[in-house]
Each structure stands twice: as structure tokens, then as C-alpha cells.
Amino acid sequence: MLLNCAQPLPLLRHTDVPPRVIENFILTGYRFPNYSLRDCLLSAFRPTNETGNFWTHFLPLFVFAYYFVEVFGWEGAPGGDAPFFYPLWNYFIGVFCLLMASSMAHLLNSMSLVVREVCFFVDYGTISAYTVGSSLAYYYYIHPRAGTVETGGSRPDPNRESTAAAPEFPVFFETFYIPCACVIAIVCVLSCCNTRQRWRKHRYMIRTLVFLLPFFVSSMPVFYRLLTTSPYSGSPSSLASSSAMPALFYRHCFWLLVSAVFNISKFPERLAPGRFDIWGHSHQWFHCCTFLSILDELQMIKAEVRAILLSPTLLLPPAALSPLPGPTVASTYGVMLLLQTSIVSIIMYFSWCTSCIYGPQGAPPSKALKCH
């Protein structure tokens, strides 16, 4: 039946919507879970309990793009389609998909219970894809050998001060870092999707804690850099750019921590249920803090890219004398494509299970076990 879009559908209380739609301590502002696509799109411009969730990740897309494109105008930077920028473009894809999927999930989730579940499965998948996009950027721009250059035909001497650490970590890093990031990303998607069908009571804590693991794995090169001597010691301009990295990383961690606190605590709506239903509830603050963490991460990556570009002795990969691994289509876009294929398969499986539970007949949750 077509809905009359001239008159907005009434917003409902938590007692008038299916239990799966109810959010903790949010009492009003719910949309009826049978909106048309047009109704969902129009609801972005009326105050509902999802309006702020949409805009706090949709508008940041344009802010992120503004700061992202700056790097291509730097003096000495190669063209935007150069292999050197392949990892940066993959990072952009990860962030773009994360922000777009999150905003669309909050905008479109009232079409049906099945659509609602699928929207958030996709949301979890893009979060994992973003972590791997970050890992690719870290791997190529915050690599343990970034800023060093070979003087002969052999690889750098691991005892040189510029490498500033035992050689075992670079070898381990080059072999296992990206595969570990991909495996953990898949585990995170599986775990978060499961929280929509099991472990409901502690779902917010589980989802938050699950994504701490990819953070620690992807941040390994940053931890390494913080504990060792800067590889840019021989280049004052590169050293000055790279010196901003620790402060930006600490700020990135701070915003992630604050976002986790909001997501788990459900503050401030926990203190005054019903008062923050439309504006100011925890998920909106969670979105704001996660974007601030992404923005600091982008600035950190850009600082390292600038340090590489400013180094007078560093030959950009895949030059023969560079100790940095050269980005290729297979090692960047290929990795993301393989990961996305795996994530889509997981989402399809959980979506099929959801259709068994919340099919056209509105089957009760007790039937969920038949889909596993």
C-alpha cells in the first residue's frame, strides 16, 4: 500500500513499536517500521530519534573529503593515480564506505525489520573494511623502514641507527601484518552480526570491545615508531613533519576511548530517559567522537606521507633503491576486493537468517534457531 507522503507519518513511543526497534532509554521519536523509501529519505529533514544519527555521519563525509584531497596539491607529490597513492585511496574507500553505510543504515532502517537488520550488518562490514584500509595506509606510510634508503644493491643493514630496532619486527610486519588485519576484520564482522541475533543483553559492550582488537593490530607500526628512533633523523624537513605523528595518534586514541564510553554507558539518556530522544543522545556523541578520531588519523597519515615526500634521499617506491615495499594494484585494491567479497558473503548469510526470523509473516524470534 502506498503511503501518503504529503502528511508525515506520526512518530511513536517505545510502547508502540516492535521490541527489536527499541533503543535503551529512548522513549519517543520512533518511526513506524514500514516506511517507504521516500518516507525514509524525507525523515532526514524532520526530528526523529534517528535524524541526528544520520547527519552526524553524513555531513562528515564532505569534511573528510575536503581534508583528504589536500595531499594531492603538495609540491613534489606524484599524480593522484600514481601507485604511491594506492594505499591512500584504499583508506579513503574504507572511510567513505563507513560513513555512508552508517548514515544510510540510520536513515533507512525503518522500512522493515529485515531491512533494519541488513542495514546494520552492512554497517558492521564497512567498519571492518575501514580498519583494513587504515592498515594498508599504515603499512606503506608508517612502515618500519619508511624514511630509510639503501646505499647499495643490498637491503639496509638492520643494525643501522635509522632503522632503530631489531630486524625481526620488520620481517614479521611485512609477512603477517596485512593478513592478520584481514582475518581479524572478518572475525569482527561475524561477532558483531551475531550480536543482533544472540548476546542481545550485552550487545553494545561486545561490539565496542570486538573492535578494540583490530585497533591494536592495525596500530602496530605506530607503536613501533613511538618506541624507536625516528627514521627521518637525517632530514630536518621530514623529521619536522613526522614529529606531529605522536600527538595526532594520542588524540586519535582519546576520541576512540570517549566514543567507546558513550557507546557502552548510554550517557546522557540513561540519566534522564525521554529527555534526549531526538537530540543529544549517546549514539550521536558516539558518531561525533568516531569521526574526530578518523580526522586525526587522516592528519597522522598525511604527516607521514609528507615526511616521505620531503625526504631528499628517499626514492619513492617501487624504485630499486627504496627499502619500502612498492604498492601495487594487487597488494592494495586486490586485498580490499578480496576482503569485501568475504564480508559480503557473511552479510548475505546473516541476511538470509534474518529473513527466516522476520519474514513477510513476521515470524517470532524463537524460530531463529532453525536458520543456524
Side-chain angles (χ1 to χ4, degrees), residues 13 122 178:
R13 291 184 57 82
V122 174
I178 295 299

Side-chain angles (χ1 to χ4, degrees), residues 80-91:
D81 59 346
F84 177 74
F85 284 131
Y86 286 173
L88 195 63
W89 279 115
N90 277 267
Y91 175 69

